[in-house]
Amino acid sequence: MVGFNPFLTFLISVPIGIAVGDGFAAVGMMMILLPAFFIIGLITLLAGIFATSKVENV
């Protein structure tokens, strides 16, 4: 997620900035989305690491 996060943020923010017609809107969206996606990715990673699976041996 670390390498994909800035690219995804860029792909979402730039079209919004173009649609609004203001570059500050794109930069503002990047400032909001980058930490949000990082936290979501970190939570997902930690949930995957610490998840316990029950496997039954037959």
Side-chain angles (χ1 to χ4, degrees):
M1 191 66 181
V2 173
F4 189 65
N5 187 8
F7 181 66
L8 183 64
T9 302
F10 177 79
L11 285 180
I12 293 172
S13 299
V14 169
I16 290 175
I18 291 171
V20 172
D22 189 12
F24 287 108
V27 173
M29 286 295 295
M30 286 184 196
M31 291 175 62
I32 293 170
L33 290 178
L34 193 67
F37 285 162
F38 177 76
I39 291 172
I40 291 169
L42 186 64
I43 290 171
T44 305
L45 175 70
L46 292 175
I49 290 173
F50 294 114
T52 58
S53 61
K54 294 183 179 182
V55 177
E56 295 182 16
N57 293 332
V58 178

